[in-house]
Amino acid sequence: MKLYITKIILGTFFLLTTLIPAQNISENKYLVKGNCEMCKERIESTALKAGAKKAIYSIDKQTLTLETSANILAEDILKKIAEAGHDNEKFKTSNETYQKLPSCCHYERETLAEKPSATDNHNHLKNENEFFVKGNCESCKARIEKAAKSAGAKSAVWSAEKQTVLLDFDSSTTSANQILKKIAEVGHDNEKYKSTDEVYKKLPACCLYNRETELGEKNENIHSDHIENVPAIKNSDTELNQLSSTAKENSIAGVTLTATKAATSLNKKETGLVFNIDKKELLKAACCNLSESFETNATVDVSFSNAVTGTKQLKMLGLDQKYTSLTKELLPEIRGIASAYGLSLIPGRWIESIQLTKGGSTVTNGYESITGQINTELIKSAEKSETSLNLFADFNGRAEANITHVEPINDHWTQTLLLHGNGTFGDTDMNEDMFLDRPKGTQINTAYLLNYNDLERSGFGSHFGINFVKDERTAGQTGFVKKLPQSQQSLYGVGIDISRFQVWNKTGYVFKGKPYQSLGWMNQYVYHQQDSFFGLRNYSGQQQTYYSNLIFESIIGNTNHKYKTGASFLYDSYKENYLINDFKRNEVVPGVFAEYTLTGLKYTLVAGARVDFHNLAGTQFTPRINFKYDFTPKTIVRLSAGKGFRTANVFAENQQFFASNRNVQIVENGGNIYGLKPEIAWNYGASLQQEFKIFGRKSTLMVDFFRTDFQDQVLVDLDRSPQQLTFYNLNGKSFANSFQTQFDFSPFKNFDVRLAYKYYDVQADYINGRREVPFMAKHRGFVNLAYATNKNKNEGFWSFDTTLNIVGKQRLPGTSTNPIEFQIPVYSESYAIVNAQISRNFNKKLRAYAGGENLTSYHQKNAIVDFRNPFGNYFDGGMVYAPIMKANFYVGFDVTF
């Protein structure tokens, strides 16, 4: 018995000796900045030397787990770590110490730029009564602050941006622990307590924050790269933080607000495959207009489509740009008569951001999107009055100037003035075929934007815009005089004069007390006139368009179930003249639509449909569906399927072939548009987005596949005869398969790498059998390298950007019936082109840049068939598959004041 009692006493003694020290040891995680394994070793060894029992640093999570005894303060350890060169949540290192770190250890410091240094004697980075609390939106804010006050806090202010709550309380009646416990009970994880899964899952969809991120990390739901908002206006970052985040998820008239952080990013929240291209991305290249805005983007293919007029065209998913919805401010922009030259009418320096959607977009934006949507947002936000001047010139006679001025008038009104002028004055003929490699001429372009934002008080927001463009171009043989009629001179000439006027308005209203419910209405009128001639052929076109779209958005029960419904109206009036033939038509298209969004913990389903009553194409039903599933926050799968239809503008969309002696023939098929039926297509897509870390730095792998199947496609047949251009409706199958894989990663700080490979299989059943669609390479490779130096004390830095495009062989139209000297190969050769740019930011307001395009100087040597006899039967300037200009260099200058 005594032995048994002795064992109990000894066991209890040993247990107490084990537990007592454990109770005096604490383990906590702290935010510490670092980059690599060298940082990890330095941080951990410094912590251990400062008295930590255990120190484990995570490069991925940027956190240090410390185990300390009661007589060692974690703050003392973090101070030593700051003195060793690593900013943390308590102290900031001195600039001198930071600069002495090896270059691989230079982490980003911007987020801590205003924090006190380690020598400031225990000045904390976080207020004593400020605590990390996770949340997403205004609903979260209201819930957190209400819970804090119910637990005895005098006041509580939660910041979505900082992910913290600042408390004011009487310690004699309550405590921080009691308040934070109450906050966790209503569903919000914090640095002291974690909410139960049951409570968390009952939160509205907009409040479901990411539970896997570390406390203190930026919330991607707040700082997303693509924020939808109600008011049809662009706001500054400050204004965005003041708006209802629930309302931010809503979209009136599809209006988007962009608060981008990365130059190009894939929106993780979007159900569709949406890339956000920031202004920083556009500055990596010359980017004089929209057609040149995708040189550093792997998704869009940019190609010259004509050797005489020098126009550029975009292709997406292996199909021409006419199958992509091109919008500005989410209003129809480049379509109809503007198809051929519309890309050159949006100056690059006017663009604030671009949203690029692969596959069918939402039904709220119309029925014409088949392969995707490219939406351009103009500059219209600034916290204070700001004017920017850009000057650009290349070494072959092209120059341009841009002025943008944004001015807040008062708390609610902001105005923007945009001015652009360009001119091409030199005779550029690098391949010595006596034809200009690009047109000469001038463009004057001006726009005025007025924005009103009173969402906080009245719930109203509005955006008004007006734009006028005058563009005149001359091309053809060197020495051609545009002022003289073509019949009075022997040289072949091309003249293209464009006048364009448009005015638009978008107005939104958020219902008081219902941030999830909103109403939006947008209207636009466009007048577009083109007068042109191609040798002895004339083409003129006039288009007047009125577009209106009304959208109501709300929820069914809670924000897990959202819906949009509305009506649209489109009126197009076309007047065209080709040779001696006049073509007139009016398209009147009222339509209605509805869309439902179901949001779960890991998935989002968006299903919509619209019915359009087209006076010429008949009633058209257009369904679309998008599904996103987040296996983890870093592994996302998307599926999509949808239908689209459009009426083909056969003359305006194929002007690149007018600079030839092909006879135009339309094989009518009983339709009401040039005797042709409307084009109908189904698009299906699947994609995988995978994020991971390489050397402690974020990397992203994207893989996607899309297929497009056509019905009644209007085929452009160049193979029936080299002297014919034939249009007819498809009788059989036409399809496009597109596969792309893209890998984005940063091997080290400030160095970004983008690699991509694309495979296209595009075929159609022409009259003479199934063939590959011409001018479409099956294989394409893409490499983009971007590096920037660290900013100096004046915010100055250097940046370097290089892009390599590898284009595989392409099928060319048949010319076997031509004399042998005027025949071209069945397939083109493969080629590679390199673009590069170096820029120097002297400070926030001054920048200079220089670059080169097509540095490999690869060019198509025989771009024009029978160029010596432009009025003969075999002349053809439309057989272009590669650049026609050799290397071209440019310089530019930006100043903001």
Side-chain angles (χ1 to χ4, degrees):
M1 183 68 180
K2 288 181 180 180
L3 181 61
Y4 178 73
I5 293 173
T6 302
K7 288 182 177 181
I8 291 176
I9 293 172
L10 288 172
T12 303
F13 174 77
F14 282 113
L15 180 61
L16 289 173
T17 57
T18 304
L19 289 178
I20 290 172
Q23 290 171 347
N24 291 326
I25 292 177
S26 62
E27 179 177 299
N28 286 294
K29 289 185 178 180
Y30 300 91
L31 297 174
V32 178
K33 290 276 190 173
N35 259 359
C36 58
E37 290 297 326
M38 192 178 292
C39 296
K40 176 180 172 69
E41 182 181 351
R42 186 183 303 109
I43 292 167
E44 291 176 353
S45 62
T46 302
L48 293 172
K49 289 178 183 177
K53 293 284 186 181
K54 182 175 72 173
I56 300 175
Y57 180 68
S58 169
I59 301 172
D60 288 357
K61 297 179 179 180
Q62 295 282 283
T63 58
L64 173 65
T65 302
L66 283 179
E67 187 178 291
T68 60
S69 57
N71 62 335
I72 298 294
L73 294 176
E75 292 178 9
D76 292 338
I77 297 174
L78 292 171
K79 183 181 179 183
K80 289 292 185 183
I81 290 172
E83 290 173 351
H86 293 273
D87 295 347
N88 55 69
E89 68 176 68
K90 297 293 184 180
F91 304 101
K92 177 172 175 270
T93 188
S94 67
N95 289 332
E96 184 180 3
T97 303
Y98 173 82
Q99 293 296 337
K100 289 180 180 179
L101 292 175
S103 58
C104 63
C105 299
H106 281 170
Y107 49 84
E108 284 289 341
R109 307 192 74 197
E110 283 79 358
T111 56
L112 297 175
E114 301 301 323
K115 307 300 183 182
S117 68
T119 60
D120 290 337
N121 195 18
H122 295 262
N123 285 326
H124 292 7
L125 294 179
K126 191 154 62 80
N127 189 288
E128 185 178 357
N129 289 327
E130 190 174 9
F131 303 91
F132 291 119
V133 177
K134 289 190 175 184
N136 276 353
C137 60
E138 285 294 312
S139 296
C140 297
K141 178 179 175 67
R143 186 182 305 109
I144 292 167
E145 293 176 355
K146 181 179 178 180
K149 292 175 183 177
S150 70
K154 294 179 182 178
S155 68
V157 179
W158 182 75
S159 167
E161 182 179 8
K162 296 169 64 178
Q163 293 284 283
T164 60
V165 64
L166 181 62
L167 301 175
D168 180 16
F169 60 91
D170 186 347
S171 58
S172 64
T173 59
T174 188
S175 66
N177 282 351
Q178 287 178 283
I179 297 171
L180 293 172
K181 184 177 181 182
K182 187 66 176 178
I183 291 173
E185 288 174 357
V186 299
H188 292 273
D189 297 348
N190 54 70
E191 64 180 72
K192 295 290 184 180
Y193 301 97
K194 186 175 181 181
S195 178
T196 64
D197 290 342
E198 183 180 5
V199 173
Y200 170 79
K201 291 177 181 178
K202 288 182 180 178
L203 292 175
C206 62
C207 299
L208 294 177
Y209 52 87
N210 189 345
R211 305 190 83 185
E212 296 185 21
T213 60
E214 290 293 323
L215 287 166
E217 281 191 21
K218 287 184 178 180
N219 187 338
E220 292 183 353
N221 291 333
I222 301 299
H223 296 286
S224 64
D225 294 311
H226 179 74
I227 302 176
E228 291 187 319
N229 205 335
V230 178
I233 57 174
K234 183 84 72 171
N235 297 280
S236 66
D237 290 344
T238 302
E239 291 170 323
L240 282 173
N241 292 331
Q242 296 171 348
L243 297 175
S244 163
S245 291
T246 305
K248 285 177 189 175
E249 294 180 354
N250 298 336
S251 172
I252 284 195
V255 177
T256 55
L257 290 177
T258 304
T260 52
K261 300 299 177 184
T264 296
S265 59
L266 178 59
N267 194 320
K268 295 172 67 175
K269 289 190 69 180
E270 285 285 350
T271 312
L273 201 57
V274 179
F275 293 86
N276 299 301
I277 303 172
D278 186 64
K279 190 175 181 180
K280 291 183 290 185
E281 186 74 38
L282 304 181
L283 293 177
K284 292 181 178 181
C287 190
C288 295
N289 57 57
L290 184 60
S291 70
E292 299 170 326
S293 299
F294 302 97
E295 292 184 358
T296 59
N297 182 280
T299 298
V300 177
D301 302 312
V302 184
S303 61
F304 285 100
S305 60
N306 187 263
V308 176
T309 61
T311 56
K312 287 185 176 180
Q313 295 285 299
L314 305 181
K315 294 185 179 183
M316 214 158 85
L317 306 187
L319 293 167
D320 292 339
Q321 76 175 36
K322 59 189 176 184
Y323 298 113
T324 300
S325 175
L326 298 169
T327 60
K328 183 174 71 179
E329 303 286 336
L330 280 175
L331 291 158
E333 180 67 13
I334 301 172
R335 53 187 296 277
I337 306 298
S339 298
Y341 308 104
L343 291 171
S344 64
L345 304 182
I346 302 180
R349 291 311 173 96
W350 290 14
I351 300 173
E352 187 164 76
S353 64
I354 298 173
Q355 294 83 46
L356 191 159
T357 304
K358 295 183 74 171
S361 62
T362 172
V363 294
T364 62
N365 291 334
Y367 54 79
E368 292 182 320
S369 170
I370 292 174
T371 60
Q373 178 179 3
I374 298 176
N375 178 60
T376 302
E377 294 286 336
L378 301 181
I379 296 172
K380 53 184 176 289
S381 64
E383 295 182 7
K384 59 182 180 179
S385 181
E386 183 176 281
T387 302
S388 296
L389 169 68
N390 165 252
L391 299 175
F392 169 93
D394 71 17
F395 289 14
N396 288 289
R398 176 180 174 182
E400 74 169 56
N402 297 277
I403 297 176
T404 62
H405 175 74
V406 187
E407 181 181 4
I409 301 172
N410 55 36
D411 291 342
H412 302 303
W413 292 93
T414 304
Q415 64 179 349
T416 303
L417 178 64
L418 305 172
L419 299 172
H420 169 86
N422 74 57
T424 305
F425 309 102
D427 289 349
T428 304
D429 180 19
M430 295 187 178
N431 57 2
E432 298 180 350
D433 60 1
M434 297 182 295
F435 275 83
L436 296 175
D437 293 339
R438 63 181 180 187
K440 296 187 296 183
T442 59
Q443 180 185 121
I444 298 296
N445 201 335
T446 180
Y448 175 75
L449 312 176
L450 185 64
N451 298 279
Y452 175 76
N453 177 16
D454 191 28
L455 288 176
E456 292 290 306
R457 187 172 60 85
S458 66
F460 277 101
S462 187
H463 166 64
F464 167 83
I466 187 169
N467 180 211
F468 174 76
V469 186
K470 181 69 174 177
D471 188 276
E472 298 180 349
R473 301 289 158 180
T474 304
Q477 288 183 303
T478 56
F480 174 80
V481 180
K482 186 179 179 182
K483 294 179 180 179
L484 293 177
Q486 178 70 78
S487 58
Q488 296 182 15
Q489 52 185 319
S490 60
L491 296 175
Y492 184 95
V494 173
I496 303 165
D497 295 343
I498 295 173
S499 298
R500 181 177 178 87
F501 170 79
Q502 58 189 141
V503 59
W504 66 91
N505 174 256
K506 301 191 290 184
T507 299
Y509 174 71
V510 182
F511 289 77
K512 290 184 178 180
K514 297 180 179 180
Y516 49 80
Q517 186 167 295
S518 54
L519 183 67
W521 189 27
M522 55 186 184
N523 295 273
Q524 176 174 250
Y525 169 76
V526 179
Y527 173 87
H528 188 98
Q529 175 74 41
Q530 176 184 326
D531 296 299
S532 54
F533 62 87
F534 303 81
L536 296 173
R537 301 178 181 217
N538 62 282
Y539 171 75
S540 64
Q542 182 190 98
Q543 177 182 349
Q544 296 188 70
T545 297
Y546 172 69
Y547 173 77
S548 183
N549 199 14
L550 180 69
I551 300 179
F552 175 76
E553 181 172 6
S554 190
I555 63 173
I556 304 173
N558 58 52
T559 53
N560 291 337
H561 306 272
K562 300 179 185 177
Y563 71 91
K564 299 177 185 177
T565 186
S568 65
F569 179 79
L570 177 66
Y571 171 79
D572 279 324
S573 173
Y574 292 101
K575 296 178 181 178
E576 295 178 281
N577 176 269
Y578 179 69
L579 296 178
I580 61 172
N581 299 311
D582 290 326
F583 300 88
K584 297 180 181 180
R585 75 180 191 275
N586 294 325
E587 296 186 19
V588 182
V589 196
V592 293
F593 56 85
E595 187 175 83
Y596 168 71
T597 301
L598 172 64
T599 304
L601 285 177
K602 290 192 172 184
Y603 66 87
T604 305
L605 172 70
V606 179
R610 61 180 299 131
V611 179
D612 293 280
F613 307 95
H614 200 294
N615 65 317
L616 299 180
T619 300
Q620 298 286 342
F621 175 67
T622 306
R624 288 175 188 163
I625 188 169
N626 287 275
F627 179 76
K628 177 174 76 79
Y629 189 85
D630 297 12
F631 286 95
T632 71
K634 296 183 179 182
T635 305
I636 300 173
V637 170
R638 292 179 173 88
L639 303 173
S640 67
K643 178 187 174 185
F645 83 94
R646 63 184 297 275
T647 56
N649 291 276
V650 295
F651 291 103
E653 294 166 358
N654 295 281
Q655 293 182 54
Q656 65 266 34
F657 302 117
F658 288 174
S660 69
N661 284 319
R662 290 177 179 266
N663 294 316
V664 175
Q665 180 182 8
I666 300 176
V667 181
E668 298 187 7
N669 194 28
N672 295 318
I673 302 100
Y674 308 105
L676 301 171
K677 294 180 180 179
E679 298 183 285
I680 297 173
W682 287 86
N683 181 274
Y684 317 90
S687 67
L688 169 66
Q689 177 184 354
Q690 178 66 58
E691 294 182 355
F692 48 90
K693 296 276 188 176
I694 296 180
F695 306 119
R697 307 187 68 85
K698 179 182 175 181
S699 301
T700 303
L701 176 67
M702 274 298 309
V703 180
D704 63 67
F705 175 80
F706 287 88
R707 179 180 173 91
T708 308
D709 287 302
F710 282 95
Q711 172 188 335
D712 291 325
Q713 182 183 18
V714 175
L715 294 176
V716 182
D717 195 339
L718 299 168
D719 292 290
R720 293 190 72 187
S721 166
Q723 284 72 51
Q724 275 192 346
L725 172 62
T726 310
F727 302 104
Y728 51 84
N729 280 119
L730 171 73
N731 182 18
K733 289 187 176 182
S734 175
F735 60 86
N737 293 321
S738 166
F739 170 80
Q740 178 174 334
T741 179
Q742 180 173 319
F743 181 38
D744 291 4
F745 66 102
S746 299
F748 52 86
K749 182 188 175 184
N750 298 339
F751 182 46
D752 297 321
V753 177
R754 180 174 300 151
L755 307 175
Y757 166 75
K758 290 178 284 187
Y759 172 80
Y760 297 127
D761 180 18
V762 187
Q763 301 182 44
D765 289 336
Y766 292 88
I767 288 178
N768 296 328
R770 181 171 296 184
R771 296 192 301 275
E772 295 177 16
V773 172
F775 306 117
M776 177 52 61
K778 276 195 171 185
H779 304 278
R780 287 178 177 263
F782 177 91
V783 179
N784 177 255
L785 308 176
Y787 175 73
T789 62
N790 291 323
K791 293 180 180 178
N792 59 29
K793 62 181 180 180
N794 296 321
E795 300 290 319
F797 62 94
W798 287 90
S799 60
F800 307 85
D801 194 272
T802 302
T803 302
L804 167 68
N805 277 287
I806 303 171
V807 181
K809 66 178 184 179
Q810 307 167 52
R811 187 184 80 81
L812 303 178
T815 55
S816 59
T817 58
N818 278 352
I820 191 167
E821 64 268 28
F822 304 134
Q823 294 180 15
I824 60 175
V826 177
Y827 282 90
S828 71
E829 59 185 11
S830 302
Y831 64 90
I833 58 174
V834 175
N835 299 332
Q837 179 179 280
I838 300 173
S839 65
R840 169 62 172 169
N841 288 67
F842 298 96
N843 49 48
K844 286 185 176 181
K845 297 182 179 295
L846 189 61
R847 173 178 177 262
Y849 58 95
E853 298 176 311
N854 191 19
L855 296 180
T856 57
S857 274
Y858 181 88
H859 63 288
Q860 189 175 339
K861 295 178 177 59
N862 298 310
I864 300 176
V865 178
D866 195 11
F867 62 86
R868 292 184 177 86
N869 186 18
F871 298 100
N873 290 333
Y874 307 112
F875 170 74
D876 196 339
M879 302 291 99
V880 176
Y881 62 85
I884 20 182
M885 291 182 63
K886 298 179 183 179
N888 184 29
F889 298 91
Y890 62 85
V891 294
F893 175 79
D894 295 316
V895 61
T896 302
F897 46 89

